[in-house]
Amino acid sequence: MAAEAEAGRLRKEVEQLNRQFALGGLPADMQSSMSLSARVAQIEARQQSLENRTSTLASSVDSIGDLTEGFSFTGYARSGTLTDGAGAGRGGPYMTPAGSVGGAVGRLGNEPDTYVELQFSKESQADNGTRSKYTVMLADGVETPNDWTASNSSLNVRKAYAELSNLSSFQGSPTFRNATLWAGKRFDRENFDIHWLDTDVVFLAGTGAGIYDVQLTDNWRLNASLMSRSYGDFSTDDSKDIRSYIATVNQFFDDGRWQLMLNGIASRRNNAKLKDSGSDPDERNSRVNKAGYSPAESGAHGLFAYHRPDFFGGEGFFKAALLYGKGLGAEVKGIGSDGELLDEAEALRLALYGHTRLSKNWRIAPVLLAEHSKDRYVPGDNYRWLTLNLRLANELTSNFEMVYELGWQSMNLDPRGYNGRQKSNGDFWKFTVAPTFKMESGNFFERPELRVFASYMDWSKELDDFSTSDNFGQKHFKSGGVWQFGTQMETWF
Amino acid sequence: MAAEAEAGRLRKEVEQLNRQFALGGLPADMQSSMSLSARVAQIEARQQSLENRTSTLASSVDSIGDLTEGFSFTGYARSGTLTDGAGAGRGGPYMTPAGSVGGAVGRLGNEPDTYVELQFSKESQADNGTRSKYTVMLADGVETPNDWTASNSSLNVRKAYAELSNLSSFQGSPTFRNATLWAGKRFDRENFDIHWLDTDVVFLAGTGAGIYDVQLTDNWRLNASLMSRSYGDFSTDDSKDIRSYIATVNQFFDDGRWQLMLNGIASRRNNAKLKDSGSDPDERNSRVNKAGYSPAESGAHGLFAYHRPDFFGGEGFFKAALLYGKGLGAEVKGIGSDGELLDEAEALRLALYGHTRLSKNWRIAPVLLAEHSKDRYVPGDNYRWLTLNLRLANELTSNFEMVYELGWQSMNLDPRGYNGRQKSNGDFWKFTVAPTFKMESGNFFERPELRVFASYMDWSKELDDFSTSDNFGQKHFKSGGVWQFGTQMETWF
Amino acid sequence: MAAEAEAGRLRKEVEQLNRQFALGGLPADMQSSMSLSARVAQIEARQQSLENRTSTLASSVDSIGDLTEGFSFTGYARSGTLTDGAGAGRGGPYMTPAGSVGGAVGRLGNEPDTYVELQFSKESQADNGTRSKYTVMLADGVETPNDWTASNSSLNVRKAYAELSNLSSFQGSPTFRNATLWAGKRFDRENFDIHWLDTDVVFLAGTGAGIYDVQLTDNWRLNASLMSRSYGDFSTDDSKDIRSYIATVNQFFDDGRWQLMLNGIASRRNNAKLKDSGSDPDERNSRVNKAGYSPAESGAHGLFAYHRPDFFGGEGFFKAALLYGKGLGAEVKGIGSDGELLDEAEALRLALYGHTRLSKNWRIAPVLLAEHSKDRYVPGDNYRWLTLNLRLANELTSNFEMVYELGWQSMNLDPRGYNGRQKSNGDFWKFTVAPTFKMESGNFFERPELRVFASYMDWSKELDDFSTSDNFGQKHFKSGGVWQFGTQMETWF
């Protein structure tokens, strides 16, 4: 009977096991839910659908990739209006007499133009790992607010260059492993600017070739390049022939914190005889600048800079730069771009600027820029100017800031009649308030910004007489206090 | 024996169960197919492969996205030839004398140029949800069919503006939640055109700032903007100083079906004294228009329009617009774009147009455009014109349509000698047939279209004498019947 | 007892089976690993995660696709400097007197410009399968190395055309199934060039319409087009009216190996009377060319070419082309582009060129280009020239090649005073060495290339007197041996 009872129990258990198998082999406590077999079948169906979807996606990505792979579009633009309440306003960072020799003032509420840079790039990579990047930039700047600007257009190609990086044949060398070779027309990669003055501390640009990121030691990185620029106006075959060549060595130490840039400039035809035939002595004149003096054929330029990735420990950054130039190097910002300078020309410029956070809702950006230069275009000429600028931003909502700018410039200019300019000594100051919308408040460099603004500016009466062709020489724009208003969009990406 | 027999049966069943386990736990009726365990193993392998593929895809998408995210390219272009059988043909929507004051005629078979708009945009979104979109447009129009057109090029930047939408700080307000802020150089978003005449009903463009889509009530949406334009030719400092400012309020009711747009225009220096120094009275002249009259310094403009998203119940749409302008507002299409208008200038324009389907294979688009304006440039001048136009399309294959255009224009113009123009009264008519290829027949607005065409046009002899510098004033182009032929591509996307 | 013993054994087996179920139904030998149920649960979790990831990816791809779908950016650019050691160098493929009638010399180390082509395309496909592609090209060429070139800019729109292919209504016809229709401004798709001379063998461009790839038989493919160009300089209404029309039939046989292109050119107003009014006979002059002769009103042109997809069995390719033109067709490269040619003008040009591999590390590209033309601009004028060119590349590392170019040109030119040009007979030769970096050595057509170069060139003294306005007519550039140096980037993609 025990065997029969045991057989009866076994019978029940085996029947239970058989029922479990009929349900797909699930343990008893899961038989109330889906059978394992059904789950697997569902997984298989979902997997098939997922595989199909992934294939479709992959071919979409391929077809997008085939066409657009390696493409990028970047740019800068500002577009705005500036009015004195009746007609066009006047402005721009170089609007004062000191601006004629590079003395920028604050840009906020002071720009009347639509300036656009469109940059298109194409990157690719070879099987051996070497990468290339080609970049071309179109740019335009006009003052007319009209939409059709063909007759005022300045549209032109500012960059067209290619880079090779991660070169496979350099991979064995710690010095050159990370080096980038380039050739073509470009802005130097290491140019840097004071955004609030719309002026570069240093701006090297032209056509040539060079190398970046030669790693001499762990703390010593070197760039070198040779660039060409033209001085002539291309109106005669002689002016077409003039070129300046700029040889540059640019070194960075201590993770880029310290920078030493040295430039040599040569332009052997810059004071060349204009005509080499003819017996008439009047026809054997050499090329002269606007003041009648023979310009330099060479120059030297140096920049020493300190780049701090914080503002003395706080949020932001701080930068200091000292620039010196002689001869053709005495235009210390746009290296080699001024062909009117004399051999004895000298300039020394100092830039100190940065930005940081003052409090939860306030940010500040102070700037000092000053220069003393002499013997530029006329022996004995003398130019001194100093700009102080302060940009403040008060974050009021997640999209809205009140932005303020205070600017003051002092200048003492003795151009000795160059280009019809008169000796001038005086001050300029400007205050601007600009209610500003942006995607996210809290960062000086986040764009786009949409702003309206009101600026009040005034200057010493003597500055009105510096030149009849500059802003202060115009009839609607005289010392005594000027209000200007406007709207502006600014973006970069 | 019963127990033994039972044990024997159980033995068989248990052995059966064991065999099933050996096969992966499948129920007996599935043992002929794959075991569950093997299916799971296969699923796991496929899943691994799918995960790898998805990772690869994701990194492709990332690398495409990093470079191109938010980028878009849109545009418009037409490029064609027009010949009278010997040399260049003549044409364009404003080819008749009435065209000098905005009287467009049909464009089909009547365009001799290559006109291109390239529009590049970049969109982005902040973490707080606010979106931005930057748009820049290059445009060019030339009549030479040559490929190298540098000496005739009109390439210029027509737009450069940024928009902020979905602003996080506006999300609490039903009125502003969907509003878009913008600033820069642009065409107003609400401009609309009569495609078949290549003329806008209203075209507001310039540089400024504004807001779209302020939702005052469920049925009342409002846009507002302030835009600037220039009138001067920038040849003198005085002409550079002239600006017009256009303040616009544009309202839509009943889901955009009804539109009321109001514009005020101010240009305080438009008749300013050209020189304010000098005792010679001849030097104290004010700015005058080409007829010697002082132009207006202000203007008013209004548009009332009805936008119907169907053609009286049928496929297509229907639009009606009535425009009135006074002073600088009397150029009723291009708001604020004509600085020659007098204070007393007045214009009233009516536009009625739409498109619909006539039958399975025929579509029709009728247009009426008419204007009466007076005291425009010379007190007492008077301009009346009316254009009727009919575009017909007959769908013959999935890629081919025969397109026809019938146009008639009547004009009665008394310019009182403005710009050398003579009193003219007469009619113009044109008939065009254009065999047309496209991707998919059946839609007036699907592009590209590739077409060849033949046009026959004629006009009243009196119209030949309106001007010596317009089309009808040319020696190869006189009343009496003119055949012209050509090819054209047109696209937008 | 047997039954009991059997029941005991069965009991153990059933307990074993129950344990297996408790472990997820795994056979005994897999119980040490994961249970099937746990594996399925894990698969389900991974599948859910994969599905979520795929959805995210799909929406990324959609949003990328929505904006960029069908977009592509392609281009060409070169940018470099060329110096004689003091100022600007002189160069270009057409720098010699023979260049005035199309006699190109080698381009390596001989290009002083920044030339850029930016091409933007948009492709789409209709539901019926028909595809469209729109292409627009911007191009610019300047010699100044400066970055801001607004005053020298040649930026212009060289292409704006649309194509329709895979037309659904053509799918039933074997002849038209693969045909492409196009209209607009473009370069003909079948133009081909001798890269090393920077000269096209044939260059057809203008505005018009045409069809590609009509498959007449398996071995006979035909293209046909009608294109327009302008000859006038657009300075007067008369010159604006002049057009040339070029009708082209271009046939390919034997998989494109043999090509026969025939062109007819008509320009009915090219020698038209300039003024049709006035009794003064001097005012009834016809249009004349620079030498005072009436230019042709028509022309004929033919090209017969052989395209071999290998270099006589080796790596590379070989091409031969014979071109003949009469009247307006006597400019055999740029078809219909020269409106100064006489009715009796004739030209015959031969081009032979290709490239192949010489050895493991050396490649070679030989070129012969020669022309005889006469009665071009003055009855009895006579131009003969022949260019031989050899480009050699020596692959030294995976990124570096030494590239050499040897060029020689012989010319015998009798222009009979056309455009101030003098009879000249002589030779020109040039040798260039160019150390070159690229992504991957080994292919003549892989770009970008970054190169520095030195060229030595010399020519017969008599060639200095050909013209006072060409390169050899300049004071800094005379026979006797000239060294020039420079850097250059070249890319296309």
Side-chain angles (χ1 to χ4, degrees):
Chain A
M1 288 314 288
E4 278 180 14
E6 172 68 4
R9 284 193 296 276
L10 279 169
R11 154 75 27 228
K12 278 182 190 142
E13 290 187 34
V14 167
E15 279 166 1
Q16 168 71 8
L17 280 167
N18 276 322
R19 274 198 302 279
Q20 287 176 350
F21 269 118
L23 284 163
L26 290 177
D29 59 356
M30 287 181 68
Q31 287 181 19
S32 59
S33 77
M34 194 189 297
S35 79
L36 194 60
S37 173
R39 283 166 69 196
V40 167
Q42 195 189 67
I43 288 170
E44 285 170 330
R46 283 164 68 190
Q47 195 168 52
Q48 187 57 50
S49 141
L50 206 51
E51 282 168 345
N52 295 344
R53 226 170 130 194
T54 302
S55 293
T56 308
L57 256 184
S59 74
S60 292
V61 170
D62 276 0
S63 89
I64 293 175
D66 282 351
L67 291 175
T68 67
E69 198 174 2
F71 169 80
S72 60
F73 170 56
T74 51
Y76 170 86
R78 64 173 175 267
S79 178
T81 59
L82 189 64
T83 181
D84 59 4
R90 289 182 173 272
Y94 301 103
M95 68 182 301
T96 67
S100 68
V101 286
V105 295
R107 77 193 303 178
L108 191 70
N110 192 26
E111 290 175 321
D113 59 342
T114 292
Y115 175 76
V116 171
E117 291 178 349
L118 299 103
Q119 190 165 283
F120 304 99
S121 290
K122 188 82 174 185
E123 297 175 42
S124 64
Q125 182 158 23
D127 290 339
N128 67 25
T130 309
R131 288 195 282 264
S132 77
K133 182 173 182 182
Y134 162 66
T135 300
V136 58
M137 181 198 271
L138 306 181
D140 181 46
V142 295
E143 293 212 5
T144 170
N146 286 351
D147 61 297
W148 183 262
T149 60
S151 58
N152 300 99
S153 176
S154 290
L155 200 60
N156 73 103
V157 176
R158 295 196 77 180
K159 297 183 186 171
Y161 70 95
E163 293 179 320
L164 292 175
S165 62
N166 202 36
L167 283 93
S168 67
S169 46
F170 284 2
Q171 291 313 301
S173 155
T175 308
F176 289 100
R177 184 180 296 141
N178 296 318
T180 295
L181 298 172
W182 66 267
K185 178 174 290 198
R186 73 174 296 169
F187 303 170
D188 184 46
R189 192 188 70 185
E190 312 289 2
N191 294 341
F192 59 104
D193 72 322
I194 308 174
H195 172 72
W196 304 278
L197 296 189
D198 194 13
T199 195
D200 287 272
V201 173
V202 65
F203 183 73
L204 172 64
T207 307
I211 187 166
Y212 286 122
D213 301 331
V214 177
Q215 199 74 43
L216 297 174
T217 71
D218 272 6
N219 273 319
W220 182 10
R221 183 165 60 80
L222 181 144
N223 307 331
S225 65
L226 181 65
M227 276 206 191
S228 173
R229 294 186 60 87
S230 64
Y231 287 151
D233 57 5
F234 281 67
S235 60
T236 66
D237 273 308
D238 281 307
S239 64
K240 269 186 199 170
D241 276 347
I242 305 168
R243 289 286 181 280
S244 72
Y245 297 96
I246 307 152
T248 301
V249 173
N250 202 351
Q251 299 170 85
F252 293 85
F253 305 90
D254 193 14
D255 277 332
R257 216 165 246 252
W258 299 95
Q259 178 186 4
L260 177 65
M261 184 195 200
L262 299 170
N263 299 280
I265 305 166
S267 181
R268 281 181 48 196
R269 291 214 184 96
N270 197 34
N271 64 9
K273 284 186 179 166
L274 292 182
K275 303 190 177 184
D276 60 358
S277 60
S279 55
D280 180 352
D282 289 347
E283 291 198 1
R284 280 183 276 123
N285 288 331
S286 295
R287 194 177 116 91
V288 293
N289 73 12
K290 293 192 194 95
Y293 294 89
S294 273
E297 290 200 315
S298 66
H301 178 281
L303 158 77
F304 183 61
Y306 171 61
H307 303 271
R308 193 173 167 144
D310 56 53
F311 193 87
F312 303 105
E315 181 184 320
F317 67 70
F318 174 78
K319 288 174 187 279
L322 191 67
L323 300 100
Y324 171 78
K326 188 159 170 51
L328 291 174
E331 162 50 46
V332 292
K333 182 191 74 166
I335 300 174
S337 67
D338 188 344
E340 298 261 301
L341 292 161
L342 306 184
D343 261 329
E344 54 268 51
E346 274 189 291
L348 184 70
R349 187 180 291 191
L350 175 69
L352 303 173
Y353 66 107
H355 75 97
T356 192
R357 180 166 291 279
L358 279 182
S359 68
K360 188 170 172 292
N361 294 317
W362 285 86
R363 307 188 311 277
I364 189 168
V367 179
L368 178 154
L369 186 69
E371 185 178 79
H372 178 207
S373 70
K374 59 190 176 73
D375 306 321
R376 290 179 73 90
Y377 310 113
V378 178
D381 65 14
N382 206 306
Y383 300 86
R384 289 170 196 270
W385 53 263
L386 180 149
T387 301
L388 292 177
N389 191 266
L390 204 63
R391 178 87 65 110
L392 286 158
N394 180 13
E395 302 145 15
L396 294 177
T397 80
S398 58
N399 295 121
F400 184 75
E401 297 180 352
M402 287 298 292
V403 183
Y404 305 90
E405 196 180 79
L406 278 154
W408 175 76
Q409 187 180 63
S410 178
M411 67 207 86
N412 189 340
L413 313 171
D414 181 6
R416 302 247 164 150
Y418 175 73
N419 211 12
R421 292 172 188 156
Q422 304 304 312
K423 194 168 174 168
S424 282
N425 188 347
D427 299 342
F428 165 90
W429 64 268
K430 179 178 87 71
F431 171 72
T432 301
V433 53
T436 299
F437 285 92
K438 53 201 305 184
M439 283 205 291
E440 205 155 23
S441 297
N443 180 339
F444 269 124
F445 297 104
E446 199 244 30
R447 293 294 181 278
E449 285 191 351
L450 311 183
R451 54 176 81 108
V452 294
F453 53 78
S455 289
Y456 182 78
M457 54 179 81
D458 200 359
W459 54 91
S460 309
K461 193 164 182 353
E462 194 181 334
L463 301 181
D464 287 339
D465 302 323
F466 178 70
S467 164
T468 57
S469 62
D470 73 352
N471 287 297
F472 295 179
Q474 305 310 306
K475 70 175 177 186
H476 293 302
F477 207 74
K478 291 292 174 199
S479 63
V482 172
W483 275 102
Q484 295 194 121
F485 313 91
T487 67
Q488 194 183 43
M489 169 280 293
E490 186 179 50
T491 194
W492 61 73
F493 55 91
Chain B
M1 288 310 289
E4 278 181 16
E6 173 66 7
R9 283 194 297 276
L10 279 169
R11 155 75 27 228
K12 278 183 189 140
E13 288 186 36
V14 167
E15 280 167 359
Q16 169 70 10
L17 279 167
N18 276 322
R19 275 199 300 279
Q20 288 176 351
F21 270 117
L23 284 163
L26 288 178
D29 58 357
M30 286 180 68
Q31 288 181 18
S32 58
S33 75
M34 193 191 297
S35 79
L36 195 60
S37 173
R39 283 165 69 196
V40 167
Q42 197 190 67
I43 287 169
E44 285 169 331
R46 284 164 68 191
Q47 195 168 52
Q48 187 59 49
S49 141
L50 206 50
E51 281 168 346
N52 294 343
R53 227 172 128 194
T54 302
S55 294
T56 308
L57 256 183
S59 74
S60 293
V61 171
D62 277 0
S63 90
I64 292 175
D66 282 352
L67 290 175
T68 68
E69 198 175 3
F71 169 79
S72 60
F73 171 54
T74 52
Y76 170 86
R78 63 173 176 266
S79 178
T81 59
L82 188 65
T83 179
D84 58 5
R90 289 181 174 272
Y94 301 104
M95 69 182 300
T96 67
S100 68
V101 286
V105 295
R107 79 194 300 178
L108 192 69
N110 191 27
E111 290 176 321
D113 59 343
T114 293
Y115 175 77
V116 172
E117 290 177 349
L118 299 103
Q119 190 164 283
F120 304 99
S121 291
K122 189 81 173 185
E123 298 176 41
S124 64
Q125 183 157 21
D127 289 341
N128 67 25
T130 309
R131 287 195 283 265
S132 77
K133 182 173 182 181
Y134 162 66
T135 299
V136 58
M137 180 198 273
L138 305 181
D140 181 47
V142 295
E143 293 213 4
T144 171
N146 286 350
D147 61 297
W148 184 261
T149 60
S151 58
N152 300 99
S153 176
S154 289
L155 201 60
N156 72 103
V157 176
R158 294 196 78 181
K159 297 183 187 171
Y161 70 96
E163 293 179 320
L164 292 176
S165 61
N166 201 37
L167 284 92
S168 67
S169 46
F170 285 1
Q171 290 315 298
S173 155
T175 308
F176 289 100
R177 182 181 298 140
N178 298 315
T180 295
L181 298 173
W182 66 268
K185 178 174 290 197
R186 73 175 294 169
F187 303 170
D188 184 48
R189 192 188 71 183
E190 311 289 3
N191 293 342
F192 59 103
D193 72 322
I194 308 175
H195 172 73
W196 303 278
L197 297 190
D198 193 13
T199 196
D200 287 89
V201 173
V202 66
F203 183 73
L204 172 63
T207 306
I211 187 166
Y212 285 122
D213 300 332
V214 177
Q215 199 74 43
L216 297 173
T217 71
D218 271 6
N219 273 318
W220 182 11
R221 182 165 60 82
L222 181 144
N223 307 331
S225 65
L226 182 65
M227 275 206 191
S228 172
R229 295 187 60 86
S230 64
Y231 286 151
D233 58 4
F234 281 66
S235 59
T236 66
D237 273 309
D238 282 306
S239 65
K240 268 186 199 169
D241 276 347
I242 305 169
R243 288 287 181 280
S244 71
Y245 297 96
I246 307 154
T248 301
V249 173
N250 202 351
Q251 300 170 84
F252 293 85
F253 305 90
D254 194 13
D255 275 332
R257 216 166 245 252
W258 298 94
Q259 179 186 2
L260 178 64
M261 183 196 201
L262 299 171
N263 299 280
I265 305 165
S267 182
R268 280 180 48 195
R269 289 213 185 99
N270 198 34
N271 63 10
K273 283 186 181 168
L274 292 183
K275 303 191 180 185
D276 59 0
S277 59
S279 54
D280 181 352
D282 289 346
E283 290 197 2
R284 281 184 275 123
N285 288 330
S286 295
R287 196 177 114 90
V288 293
N289 74 11
K290 292 193 195 93
Y293 293 90
S294 273
E297 290 200 315
S298 67
H301 178 281
L303 159 77
F304 183 62
Y306 172 61
H307 303 271
R308 193 171 169 147
D310 54 53
F311 193 86
F312 304 105
E315 181 184 321
F317 67 70
F318 173 79
K319 288 174 187 280
L322 190 68
L323 301 101
Y324 171 78
K326 188 157 171 51
L328 291 174
E331 161 51 46
V332 292
K333 183 191 74 166
I335 301 174
S337 67
D338 188 343
E340 297 262 302
L341 293 162
L342 306 184
D343 261 328
E344 54 268 51
E346 274 189 292
L348 184 70
R349 188 180 289 192
L350 176 69
L352 303 172
Y353 67 106
H355 75 98
T356 192
R357 179 164 291 278
L358 279 182
S359 69
K360 187 171 173 293
N361 295 318
W362 283 87
R363 306 187 312 278
I364 189 168
V367 178
L368 179 153
L369 186 69
E371 185 178 79
H372 178 208
S373 71
K374 60 191 174 75
D375 305 322
R376 292 180 73 89
Y377 310 113
V378 177
D381 65 14
N382 205 307
Y383 301 86
R384 289 170 196 270
W385 53 262
L386 180 149
T387 300
L388 293 177
N389 191 266
L390 204 62
R391 179 85 66 108
L392 286 157
N394 180 15
E395 301 146 16
L396 294 177
T397 80
S398 59
N399 296 121
F400 185 75
E401 297 179 352
M402 287 297 293
V403 183
Y404 306 91
E405 195 180 80
L406 278 154
W408 175 76
Q409 187 181 62
S410 179
M411 65 206 87
N412 189 340
L413 313 171
D414 181 7
R416 303 246 165 150
Y418 175 73
N419 210 11
R421 292 172 187 157
Q422 304 304 311
K423 192 167 173 170
S424 282
N425 186 345
D427 299 341
F428 166 88
W429 65 268
K430 178 178 87 71
F431 172 71
T432 300
V433 52
T436 301
F437 285 93
K438 52 203 304 184
M439 282 205 292
E440 204 156 23
S441 296
N443 182 338
F444 269 123
F445 297 103
E446 199 245 28
R447 292 293 181 280
E449 286 192 349
L450 311 182
R451 54 176 81 107
V452 295
F453 53 76
S455 289
Y456 182 79
M457 53 178 82
D458 199 0
W459 55 89
S460 308
K461 193 165 183 350
E462 194 181 336
L463 301 181
D464 287 339
D465 302 323
F466 178 70
S467 164
T468 57
S469 63
D470 74 351
N471 287 297
F472 294 179
Q474 304 310 306
K475 70 175 175 182
H476 292 302
F477 206 74
K478 291 294 173 197
S479 63
V482 172
W483 275 103
Q484 295 195 122
F485 312 92
T487 66
Q488 194 183 44
M489 169 281 293
E490 185 180 50
T491 195
W492 61 73
F493 55 91
Chain C
M1 286 314 287
E4 278 181 16
E6 172 67 4
R9 284 193 296 275
L10 278 169
R11 154 76 25 230
K12 280 184 189 138
E13 290 188 34
V14 166
E15 279 167 359
Q16 169 69 10
L17 280 166
N18 276 322
R19 275 200 300 278
Q20 288 178 350
F21 270 117
L23 285 162
L26 289 178
D29 58 355
M30 289 180 66
Q31 287 181 20
S32 59
S33 77
M34 193 190 298
S35 79
L36 195 60
S37 174
R39 283 167 67 198
V40 167
Q42 195 190 69
I43 288 170
E44 284 169 332
R46 283 164 69 191
Q47 194 168 52
Q48 186 58 49
S49 142
L50 205 50
E51 282 167 345
N52 294 345
R53 224 171 131 195
T54 303
S55 293
T56 307
L57 256 183
S59 74
S60 293
V61 170
D62 277 0
S63 88
I64 293 176
D66 282 352
L67 291 176
T68 68
E69 197 174 3
F71 169 78
S72 60
F73 171 55
T74 52
Y76 169 86
R78 64 173 175 267
S79 178
T81 59
L82 188 65
T83 180
D84 59 4
R90 289 182 173 271
Y94 301 105
M95 68 183 300
T96 68
S100 67
V101 286
V105 295
R107 78 193 303 176
L108 191 70
N110 191 27
E111 290 175 322
D113 59 342
T114 291
Y115 175 77
V116 172
E117 290 177 350
L118 300 103
Q119 189 164 284
F120 304 98
S121 291
K122 188 81 174 187
E123 298 176 41
S124 64
Q125 183 157 22
D127 289 340
N128 66 26
T130 309
R131 287 195 283 265
S132 77
K133 182 174 183 183
Y134 162 67
T135 300
V136 58
M137 180 198 272
L138 306 181
D140 181 46
V142 295
E143 292 212 6
T144 171
N146 286 350
D147 61 297
W148 183 262
T149 60
S151 58
N152 300 99
S153 176
S154 289
L155 200 60
N156 72 103
V157 176
R158 294 196 77 181
K159 297 183 186 172
Y161 70 95
E163 293 180 319
L164 293 175
S165 61
N166 201 37
L167 283 93
S168 67
S169 47
F170 284 2
Q171 290 314 300
S173 156
T175 309
F176 289 100
R177 184 180 297 141
N178 298 316
T180 295
L181 298 173
W182 65 267
K185 179 174 289 197
R186 74 175 295 168
F187 303 170
D188 184 46
R189 192 188 70 184
E190 312 289 2
N191 293 342
F192 59 104
D193 73 323
I194 309 174
H195 172 72
W196 303 278
L197 296 190
D198 192 13
T199 195
D200 287 271
V201 174
V202 65
F203 183 74
L204 172 63
T207 307
I211 186 166
Y212 286 122
D213 300 331
V214 176
Q215 198 74 42
L216 296 174
T217 72
D218 272 6
N219 273 317
W220 183 11
R221 183 165 59 81
L222 182 144
N223 307 331
S225 65
L226 181 65
M227 275 205 191
S228 173
R229 294 187 61 86
S230 63
Y231 286 151
D233 58 3
F234 280 67
S235 60
T236 66
D237 273 308
D238 281 307
S239 65
K240 269 188 199 168
D241 276 347
I242 304 168
R243 289 285 182 281
S244 70
Y245 297 96
I246 306 154
T248 301
V249 174
N250 203 352
Q251 299 170 85
F252 292 86
F253 306 90
D254 194 14
D255 276 330
R257 217 166 245 252
W258 299 95
Q259 179 186 4
L260 178 64
M261 184 196 200
L262 298 171
N263 298 280
I265 306 166
S267 183
R268 282 179 50 195
R269 291 214 184 98
N270 198 34
N271 63 11
K273 284 186 179 168
L274 292 182
K275 303 191 180 185
D276 59 0
S277 60
S279 55
D280 181 352
D282 287 347
E283 290 198 2
R284 279 183 277 123
N285 287 332
S286 295
R287 195 176 114 90
V288 293
N289 74 10
K290 291 193 196 95
Y293 293 89
S294 273
E297 291 200 315
S298 67
H301 178 282
L303 158 76
F304 183 62
Y306 172 61
H307 303 270
R308 193 171 169 147
D310 55 52
F311 193 86
F312 304 105
E315 181 184 321
F317 68 69
F318 174 77
K319 288 175 187 277
L322 191 67
L323 300 101
Y324 171 78
K326 188 157 171 51
L328 291 174
E331 162 50 46
V332 293
K333 183 192 74 166
I335 301 174
S337 68
D338 188 343
E340 298 260 302
L341 292 162
L342 306 184
D343 261 328
E344 54 268 50
E346 275 189 290
L348 184 70
R349 187 180 289 191
L350 176 69
L352 302 172
Y353 67 107
H355 75 99
T356 192
R357 178 165 293 279
L358 279 182
S359 69
K360 188 171 172 293
N361 294 318
W362 284 87
R363 306 187 312 277
I364 188 167
V367 179
L368 179 153
L369 186 68
E371 185 178 78
H372 177 207
S373 70
K374 61 192 173 74
D375 305 322
R376 290 180 73 90
Y377 309 113
V378 178
D381 66 14
N382 205 306
Y383 301 85
R384 288 170 196 271
W385 54 264
L386 181 150
T387 300
L388 292 177
N389 190 267
L390 204 61
R391 178 86 66 109
L392 287 157
N394 180 14
E395 302 144 16
L396 294 177
T397 81
S398 60
N399 296 121
F400 185 74
E401 297 179 353
M402 287 297 292
V403 183
Y404 305 90
E405 195 181 80
L406 279 154
W408 175 76
Q409 188 181 63
S410 178
M411 64 206 88
N412 189 339
L413 313 171
D414 182 6
R416 303 247 164 149
Y418 176 73
N419 211 12
R421 293 172 187 156
Q422 304 303 312
K423 193 168 174 169
S424 281
N425 187 346
D427 299 342
F428 165 89
W429 64 269
K430 178 178 87 73
F431 172 72
T432 300
V433 53
T436 299
F437 285 92
K438 51 201 305 184
M439 283 205 291
E440 204 155 24
S441 298
N443 182 338
F444 268 123
F445 298 103
E446 199 245 30
R447 291 292 180 280
E449 286 191 351
L450 310 183
R451 55 177 80 106
V452 295
F453 52 77
S455 289
Y456 182 80
M457 53 179 83
D458 200 0
W459 54 90
S460 309
K461 193 163 183 352
E462 195 181 333
L463 301 180
D464 287 340
D465 303 322
F466 178 71
S467 164
T468 57
S469 63
D470 74 352
N471 287 298
F472 295 179
Q474 304 311 306
K475 69 176 177 185
H476 293 301
F477 207 73
K478 290 294 174 198
S479 63
V482 172
W483 275 103
Q484 296 194 121
F485 313 91
T487 66
Q488 194 182 43
M489 170 279 293
E490 186 179 50
T491 194
W492 60 73
F493 56 90

